[in-house]
Amino acid sequence: MNILYILPFSYFYNTRLRNGSWVFHALFEWLSAAILVMALGSVPPFQALIQAILVYFAFISLYEIGYLVNDLFAARKEKDGRRRGPQNAPTMWVFTWIAFRIMAFIALTILLDMQEVWAWWSFFLALSIVFALHNIFVDREFKAATFLWLAWFRFMAPVIFVVEDRYRMGIALAASISYAAFRLFGYLDSKGLLKMPGRQRIRFRLVFFLMPLTGVLALAPYDEARGFVLLCAVYSIIALAAAGSSWLRHGHLD
């Protein structure tokens, strides 16, 4: 039995990230979040980055509990459910992994001095409710709705408590129409609910992540939209870089 599963992030790494699209997570989650918190943080850039990392580990500690329940229990009730992780793990080990994550979340909450911040508890309560519903639902269409919100919470977690108050809503809007919406395509495809064979083309990704620039044009005059503008710009640059790299290698964007 993998004793390292007691450590937050280890389960995500072993069951999703190691054989998954880690480049997407690195660019569209971690790098983008780092840029946002360092540019728009309520504290100096380096301090903001450290805070974001600690918040992320608090987030992933709870999020991995949802993964464990999904993989070891909920997936068994789904048709063609993906049974990741140690399916034959003794119950004692499962409870041990969960207990360590709860303790890690509490410890990080205290370290960040968030124990009396209502917004902290309301955010993670909402996340827990959404993941619980995601694991309870058997209907794939229902799970598509919960997955969309899980993706949104995933992006917002390390950002929302670090950036200045006035930028939160703009970042939340950009994350919903760009990051969360794009992640939903992949989820729907994995469940056989999407007929969109060209979605993985570089050209599609380029168009998808450049379209929010129209929103940037509309919202740029408003100072509180700076988070929206910055996140959309970062995604556009990443998409353009990927398209340029593809063009140099293959001479086309397919």
Side-chain angles (χ1 to χ4, degrees), residues 1 13 21-23 32 63 69 85 100 117 143 146 165 176 186 192 199 242 251:
M1 199 57 58
Y13 173 76
S21 53
W22 67 268
V23 174
S32 302
Y63 205 79
V69 174
F100 267 84
V117 178
K143 292 174 80 70
T146 51
D165 294 352
S176 63
R199 73 171 185 87

Side-chain angles (χ1 to χ4, degrees), residues 19 22 24-25 39 44-45 47 53 62 65 87 90 101 108 110-111 119 126 129 183 203 217 235:
N19 297 317
W22 67 268
F24 180 87
H25 288 284
Q47 185 179 346
I53 292 171
L62 285 187
I65 294 175
Q87 292 295 312
R101 281 161 175 75
L108 287 164
I110 296 171
L111 180 62
I129 291 172
R183 287 290 309 277
R203 184 162 41 184
L217 180 62
Y235 283 168

Side-chain angles (χ1 to χ4, degrees), residues 49-61:
L49 182 60
I50 296 301
Q51 285 185 1
I53 292 171
L54 293 175
V55 175
Y56 178 81
F57 275 99
F59 152 78
I60 203 66
S61 296

Side-chain angles (χ1 to χ4, degrees), residues 176-242:
S176 63
I177 65 174
S178 294
Y179 176 83
F182 190 80
R183 287 290 309 277
L184 182 61
F185 290 143
Y187 181 79
L188 292 174
D189 195 16
S190 72
K191 297 298 183 182
L193 298 174
L194 183 71
K195 188 177 181 181
M196 200 173 180
R199 73 171 185 87
Q200 294 190 3
R201 292 179 300 170
I202 293 292
R203 184 162 41 184
F204 169 76
R205 297 188 181 193
L206 181 62
V207 171
F208 184 88
F209 286 111
L210 288 182
M211 282 305 300
L213 291 180
T214 57
V216 167
L217 180 62
L219 297 176
Y222 304 99
D223 183 65
E224 61 271 20
R226 192 177 300 176
F228 178 90
V229 171
L230 181 57
L231 182 56
C232 290
V234 169
Y235 283 168
S236 297
I237 292 170
I238 293 173
L240 284 168

Side-chain angles (χ1 to χ4, degrees), residues 2-245:
N2 194 341
I3 192 171
L4 291 179
Y5 280 164
I6 65 174
L7 301 175
F9 191 80
S10 62
Y11 190 79
F12 168 53
Y13 173 76
N14 280 285
T15 60
R16 268 90 174 164
L17 194 60
R18 185 166 60 179
N19 297 317
S21 53
W22 67 268
V23 174
F24 180 87
H25 288 284
L27 296 177
F28 286 87
E29 283 183 31
W30 306 327
L31 176 63
S32 302
I35 292 172
L36 286 172
V37 299
M38 288 191 292
L40 305 176
S42 57
V43 295
F46 182 73
Q47 185 179 346
L49 182 60
I50 296 301
Q51 285 185 1
I53 292 171
L54 293 175
V55 175
Y56 178 81
F57 275 99
F59 152 78
I60 203 66
S61 296
L62 285 187
Y63 205 79
E64 284 186 319
I65 294 175
Y67 277 153
L68 284 162
V69 174
N70 180 274
D71 296 349
L72 304 183
F73 303 103
R76 299 173 186 176
K77 301 177 182 178
E78 295 179 39
K79 181 181 179 181
D80 301 323
R82 287 180 287 181
R83 300 185 181 185
R84 301 182 179 94
Q87 292 295 312
N88 298 319
T91 303
M92 181 195 72
W93 272 107
V94 177
F95 279 118
T96 299
W97 295 331
I98 291 174
F100 267 84
R101 281 161 175 75
I102 293 173
M103 289 188 291
F105 177 78
I106 293 173
L108 287 164
T109 298
I110 296 171
L111 180 62
L112 289 160
D113 197 25
M114 301 294 278
Q115 60 269 30
E116 296 184 5
V117 178
W118 165 240
W120 175 267
W121 296 107
S122 64
F123 181 91
F124 285 107
L125 174 61
L127 168 62
S128 300
I129 291 172
V130 173
F131 218 141
L133 290 173
H134 186 74
N135 287 334
I136 291 171
F137 288 152
V138 177
D139 190 302
R140 293 184 177 185
E141 283 78 8
F142 290 177
K143 292 174 80 70
T146 51
F147 180 86
L148 177 67
W149 279 101
L150 286 175
W152 182 85
F153 277 105
R154 183 186 196 94
F155 183 86
M156 291 300 297
V159 174
I160 192 170
F161 300 105
V162 183
V163 297
E164 291 188 30
D165 294 352
R166 56 182 170 158
Y167 300 133
R168 288 192 182 112
M169 294 303 103
I171 294 171
L173 174 61
S176 63
I177 65 174
S178 294
Y179 176 83
F182 190 80
R183 287 290 309 277
L184 182 61
F185 290 143
Y187 181 79
L188 292 174
D189 195 16
S190 72
K191 297 298 183 182
L193 298 174
L194 183 71
K195 188 177 181 181
M196 200 173 180
R199 73 171 185 87
Q200 294 190 3
R201 292 179 300 170
I202 293 292
R203 184 162 41 184
F204 169 76
R205 297 188 181 193
L206 181 62
V207 171
F208 184 88
F209 286 111
L210 288 182
M211 282 305 300
L213 291 180
T214 57
V216 167
L217 180 62
L219 297 176
Y222 304 99
D223 183 65
E224 61 271 20
R226 192 177 300 176
F228 178 90
V229 171
L230 181 57
L231 182 56
C232 290
V234 169
Y235 283 168
S236 297
I237 292 170
I238 293 173
L240 284 168
S245 176

